[in-house]
């Protein structure tokens, strides 16, 4: 694991890989030198280093893609594509899906994106950025039927890891006990083409995988009204929103979310205002503006929205400031639940490698698993608040 910055030990057949990727060898060499394509972190015994990840998109290959060799031939796990957002549902649906008659609606679950595939007989889980996440890998091995990967060694399962034992986006709203993997896409390892929606759902069901909820297919003329109803209901139970898809998966999907989910994100982000507040704030305020106009809100409804939005911004911030002023550092408290104690060690190493400042609690046995509480430190917010409390100027 410590040979990390040294690519010398990892052999990549540059000419072969360049040919497979349809790039000139000199370009690939440059990308490797600049570490735009680089070996994964080590894992145990550097086993993952031969899985080269794309830190940025290159030609038409998405960021987060992973290149490796299997039985002498190259394989490429494509990065999960970005999903564009509808701001005004009605116009966006008409404009984006103008070539088709019906759209399919699935729930957008709020967790983290994971791609799972078989590599050399083992299930491996990749984060959005193409890193092997040891926690997700352990969970995937335990949650998913191995036979799928024996039957379809060249498929990649894309899904959301959701639930409370989640080190990135913990959520209690789904009634999940620990963490589950919800399939929302099945793609080919190579060209990355997705399965058609109903075929994917059927295949996932055959292997007993959990899946994101399917709300139905709607004609383009009814879709905006139907989706608005769905989103209002999802908001009431603090779920995130929907992803609207071409059933054939030829046109790219688009997403649309509930106000309550925007506000929940803001409450979390503004607690750590100087670490992540900025990244969250503007886009979410703008979403609220568009939704309010599209929903043709009355003065009373608008006032309610203003209050909710303002509270989700200011309240968590004031709480953080008070807490730091009174001498307690703030932290993002998350937890993981593992079967193998070695996963704890690996996950610690992994976070270190990512530069995340995290303090791990003692593993607590629960059943045949271990629960580990993790305090992710948000240095910048703590430091900034402390210095303001001492009277320093912004
Ligand atoms: P993006 O770059 O895709 O916009 P983001 O990090 O901004 O990603 P989100 O706003 O959470 O992410 O929206 C996209 C993500 O939603 C996907 O990457 C996927 O992880 C998640 N997702 C949850 N449910 C679904 C679903 N049913 N279909 C597709 N993606 C889903
Ligand atoms: Mg998300």
């Amino acid at each position: 694991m410590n040979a990390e910055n040294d690519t010398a030990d990892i052999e990549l057949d540059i000419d072969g890989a360049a040919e497979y990727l349809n790039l000139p060898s000199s370009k690939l060499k440059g990308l490797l030198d600049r570490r735009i394509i680089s070996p994964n972190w080590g894992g145990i015994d550097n086993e993952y280093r031969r899985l080269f990840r794309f830190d940025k998109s290159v030609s038409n290959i998405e960021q987060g893609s992973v290149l490796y060799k299997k039985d002498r031939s190259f394989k490429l796990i494509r990065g999960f594509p970005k999903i564009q957002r509808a701001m005004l549902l009605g116009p966006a649906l008409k404009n984006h899906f103008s070539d088709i008659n019906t759209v399919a609606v699935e729930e957008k679950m709020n967790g983290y994106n994971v791609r799972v595939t078989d590599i050399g007989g083992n299930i491996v889980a990749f984060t959005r950025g193409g890193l092997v996440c040891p926690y997700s890998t352990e969970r995937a091995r335990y949650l998913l039927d191995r036979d799928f990967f024996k039957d379809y060694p060249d498929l990649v399962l894309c899904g959301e890891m959701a639930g409370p034992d989640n080190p990135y986006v913990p959520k209690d709203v789904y009634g999940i006990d620990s963490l589950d993997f919800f399939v929302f896409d099945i793609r080919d390892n190579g060209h990355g083409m997705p399965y058609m929606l109903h075929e994917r759902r059927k295949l996932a069901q055959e292997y007993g995988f959990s899946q994101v909820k399917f709300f139905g297919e709607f004609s383009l003329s009814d879709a905006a009204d139907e989706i608005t109803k769905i989103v209002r209901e999802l908001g009431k139970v603090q779920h995130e929103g929907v992803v609207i898809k071409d059933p054939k998966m030829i046109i790219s999907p688009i997403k649309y979310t509930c106000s309550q989910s925007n506000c929940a994100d803001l409450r979390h982000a503004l607690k750590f205002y100087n670490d992540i507040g900025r990244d969250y704030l503007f886009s979410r305020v703008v979403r609220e503006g568009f939704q309010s106009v599209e929903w043709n809100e009355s003065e009373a409804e608008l006032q309610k929205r203003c209050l909710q939005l303002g509270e989700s911004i200011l309240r968590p911030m004031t709480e953080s400031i008070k807490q730091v002023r009174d001498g307690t550092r703030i932290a993002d408290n998350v937890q993981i639940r593992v079967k193998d104690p070695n996963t704890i060690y690996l996950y610690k190493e992994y976070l270190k490698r990512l530069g995340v400042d995290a303090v791990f609690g003692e593993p607590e046995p629960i059943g045949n698993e271990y629960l580990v509480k993790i305090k992710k430190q948000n240095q910048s917010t703590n430091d900034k608040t402390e210095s303001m409390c001492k009277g320093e100027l912004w």
Side-chain angles (χ1 to χ4, degrees), residues 200-220:
R200 178 247 296 163
R201 294 196 69 93
K202 192 162 154 263
L203 185 57
Q205 196 190 357
E206 274 168 31
Y207 288 85
F209 299 149
S210 300
Q211 305 192 50
V212 293
K213 183 168 175 182
F214 174 65
F215 286 105
E217 263 187 48
F218 305 101
S219 72
L220 204 51

Side-chain angles (χ1 to χ4, degrees), residues 61-106:
I61 305 167
E62 302 81 359
Q63 177 182 14
S65 296
V66 176
L67 175 75
Y68 65 101
K69 218 166 180 179
K70 182 177 172 187
D71 308 329
R72 303 229 175 109
S73 52
F74 282 99
K75 295 276 166 190
L76 184 69
I77 304 166
R78 308 289 296 233
F80 191 79
K82 193 161 181 56
I83 300 181
Q84 287 182 296
R85 177 180 296 274
M87 294 299 273
L88 292 173
L89 200 47
L93 288 171
K94 289 215 168 64
N95 186 38
H96 189 76
F97 293 110
S98 59
D99 290 343
I100 56 175
N101 297 322
T102 62
V103 290
V105 180
E106 284 189 325

Side-chain angles (χ1 to χ4, degrees), residues 30-286:
L31 292 166
L32 288 159
D33 288 344
R34 283 165 28 233
R35 301 188 68 75
I36 289 170
I37 301 177
S38 62
N40 229 283
W41 80 296
I44 310 172
D45 299 333
N46 285 337
E47 62 180 320
Y48 300 140
R49 286 179 48 76
R50 63 196 181 81
L51 310 172
F52 285 77
R53 57 181 281 267
F54 287 57
D55 201 35
K56 297 205 176 100
S57 67
V58 172
S59 304
N60 60 347
I61 305 167
E62 302 81 359
Q63 177 182 14
S65 296
V66 176
L67 175 75
Y68 65 101
K69 218 166 180 179
K70 182 177 172 187
D71 308 329
R72 303 229 175 109
S73 52
F74 282 99
K75 295 276 166 190
L76 184 69
I77 304 166
R78 308 289 296 233
F80 191 79
K82 193 161 181 56
I83 300 181
Q84 287 182 296
R85 177 180 296 274
M87 294 299 273
L88 292 173
L89 200 47
L93 288 171
K94 289 215 168 64
N95 186 38
H96 189 76
F97 293 110
S98 59
D99 290 343
I100 56 175
N101 297 322
T102 62
V103 290
V105 180
E106 284 189 325
E107 176 161 2
K108 179 179 195 308
M109 294 190 77
N110 200 359
Y112 63 97
N113 181 302
V114 168
R115 283 164 292 150
V116 183
T117 196
D118 173 273
I119 295 196
N122 285 317
I123 291 177
V124 177
F126 295 91
T127 62
R128 198 81 197 272
L131 283 164
V132 177
C133 170
Y135 178 55
S136 314
T137 296
E138 192 214 82
R139 293 287 93 183
R141 286 178 184 175
Y142 148 74
L143 290 165
L144 299 172
D145 181 354
R146 276 205 94 71
D147 284 347
F148 175 82
F149 298 97
K150 286 191 194 129
D151 299 342
Y152 299 98
D154 286 330
L155 291 185
V156 181
L157 289 179
C158 309
E160 198 81 349
M161 284 279 186
D165 296 334
N166 182 323
Y168 310 109
V169 190
K171 292 280 168 195
D172 285 323
V173 297
Y174 298 112
I176 300 162
D177 180 39
S178 174
L179 187 77
D180 201 358
F181 179 73
F182 295 88
V183 175
F184 52 63
D185 239 339
I186 299 180
R187 289 177 183 254
D188 177 271
N189 167 341
H191 53 66
M193 287 297 288
Y195 263 61
M196 290 195 284
L197 188 135
H198 294 291
E199 289 188 0
R200 178 247 296 163
R201 294 196 69 93
K202 192 162 154 263
L203 185 57
Q205 196 190 357
E206 274 168 31
Y207 288 85
F209 299 149
S210 300
Q211 305 192 50
V212 293
K213 183 168 175 182
F214 174 65
F215 286 105
E217 263 187 48
F218 305 101
S219 72
L220 204 51
S221 52
D222 295 340
D225 286 346
E226 294 297 333
I227 296 168
T228 302
K229 278 189 232 155
I230 294 168
V231 163
R232 284 186 191 272
E233 291 306 311
L234 286 174
K236 289 183 194 159
V237 289
Q238 299 289 324
H239 286 215
E240 189 182 17
V242 295
V243 181
I244 306 141
K245 301 182 178 181
D246 167 6
K248 293 205 171 109
M249 291 296 287
I250 295 167
I251 303 172
S252 59
I254 57 178
K255 59 192 177 190
Y256 189 73
T257 52
C258 318
S259 173
Q260 290 85 344
S261 165
N262 280 335
C263 290
D265 288 353
L266 287 171
R267 279 196 296 277
H268 181 258
L270 270 295
K271 187 168 170 196
F272 311 108
Y273 66 90
N274 218 42
D275 291 271
I276 54 170
R278 256 187 208 88
D279 294 344
Y280 279 74
L281 194 57
F282 182 68
S283 58
R284 284 175 180 74
V285 173
V286 174

